Amino acid sequence: MIYFWMMNRLLNDLHSISKNAIPILDTIIPIHTYVPLDLSKDNGELIGINITDFSICQNYIDTVLKRKQGIVAYGGYLEERNLYNDTESFTATSSPIRNIHLGIDFWCAAGTIVNVPLNGTVHSFDYNNVVGDYGPTIILKHVLGTHTFYTLYGHLSLDSLDGLFVGKEFKAGEIVGRLGTPDINVNYAPHLHFQMIRNLEGNQGDYPGVCAKAQLPFYRKNCPDPNLLLKLD
Ligand SMILES: [Zn+2]
């Protein structure tokens, strides 16, 4: 009972950090050019399109951006996707398919700046360079009132990790990194994977970004909707 009360307090506190939308990418990109992107397996436009190929995925994203006159395509929280069908670590027959996405993705040009949405310190970082993983990844720790929680930034450029150390402070709005290229990020069209995590369960520089359906009751509580904070609707 106390756990649920604490959790609701955290969600309320996250929601009240800012009245306005928080730009997580370069602030020269106007918020109104962030447009929703549906990569779910239910999106009829994706039938027959192999979005596991990063260049085909990029073509589809470019089509959506053009149609909606956007610069950043975003979305994906709790989206059930076909994006991981080619990656054994997500589809190994010994375990249930992991295809439900636990963060929000922000698809934009490689090299685009990533800003920290709220004050934090570096918890850990790593280059998760197995194909289908996050590539360069940073996890920040945040303390908000009585709550401690974490934000994960995945698919960054390699030089985003330069000069980092555990405990390094970032103020809201400071640059934490840049979007990586497909050869570094690892094998995706350029994007930021942004995820909120309550309990890292002992992980360092990594945390699952997708889960199987049976695990969803746990993960949707442990990884709240980042848009509570970012308010991009
Ligand atoms: Zn993602």
Side-chain angles (χ1 to χ4, degrees):
M1 196 65 187
I2 287 176
Y3 174 82
F4 289 112
W5 180 77
M6 288 287 289
M7 177 158 158
N8 289 335
R9 284 284 306 273
L10 172 61
L11 300 184
N12 285 337
D13 288 354
L14 283 173
H15 188 70
S16 60
I17 284 178
S18 173
K19 283 198 181 97
N20 303 318
I22 298 176
I24 195 160
L25 299 184
D26 195 332
T27 51
I28 65 166
I29 302 173
I31 283 287
H32 72 267
T33 64
Y34 284 60
V35 296
L37 174 72
D38 178 1
L39 287 184
S40 74
K41 65 181 188 53
D42 298 324
N43 179 356
E45 287 187 343
L46 297 176
I47 293 171
I49 295 181
N50 177 19
I51 57 165
T52 65
D53 179 316
F54 67 80
S55 59
I56 293 173
C57 187
Q58 184 68 63
N59 283 344
Y60 177 69
I61 289 164
D62 288 343
T63 303
V64 172
L65 286 173
K66 195 169 176 192
R67 186 198 302 154
K68 297 183 176 178
Q69 298 186 310
I71 295 174
V72 179
Y74 78 94
Y77 180 64
L78 302 190
E79 198 167 70
E80 194 171 344
R81 292 177 165 177
N82 290 327
L83 186 60
Y84 315 107
N85 287 3
D86 67 334
T87 308
E88 198 185 345
S89 61
F90 296 97
T91 60
T93 49
S94 57
S95 56
I97 292 174
R98 296 193 301 127
N99 62 356
I100 300 177
H101 188 256
L102 299 170
I104 295 184
D105 287 330
F106 295 85
W107 306 82
C108 195
T112 301
I113 284 170
V114 178
N115 296 310
V116 176
L118 73 173
N119 297 347
T121 56
V122 173
H123 169 272
S124 53
F125 53 95
D126 207 349
Y127 181 20
N128 299 297
N129 63 353
V130 175
V131 168
D133 210 325
Y134 288 129
T137 311
I138 299 172
I139 296 177
L140 299 186
K141 176 181 173 179
H142 309 278
V143 178
L144 189 61
T146 56
H147 312 288
T148 298
F149 64 97
Y150 305 86
T151 52
L152 182 150
Y153 308 78
H155 307 294
L156 301 174
S157 64
L158 210 43
D159 61 7
S160 302
L161 306 184
D162 288 351
L164 283 190
F165 54 89
V166 172
K168 181 176 180 181
E169 280 190 42
F170 281 95
K171 297 276 183 236
E174 284 185 345
I175 297 169
V176 67
R178 291 173 182 273
L179 301 192
T181 47
D183 55 323
I184 296 295
N185 83 0
V186 189
N187 223 29
Y188 292 103
H191 71 291
L192 167 72
H193 175 99
F194 178 67
Q195 185 169 330
M196 307 195 67
I197 305 162
R198 290 170 52 83
N199 180 354
L200 273 173
E201 304 178 272
N203 285 275
Q204 298 277 333
D206 198 9
Y207 190 81
V210 288
C211 75
K213 212 171 232 172
Q215 303 165 317
L216 191 54
F218 168 76
Y219 280 111
R220 71 184 310 161
K221 288 195 184 93
N222 200 42
C223 303
D225 183 353
N227 215 17
L228 274 172
L229 170 68
L230 301 180
K231 299 189 178 63
L232 288 169
D233 292 323

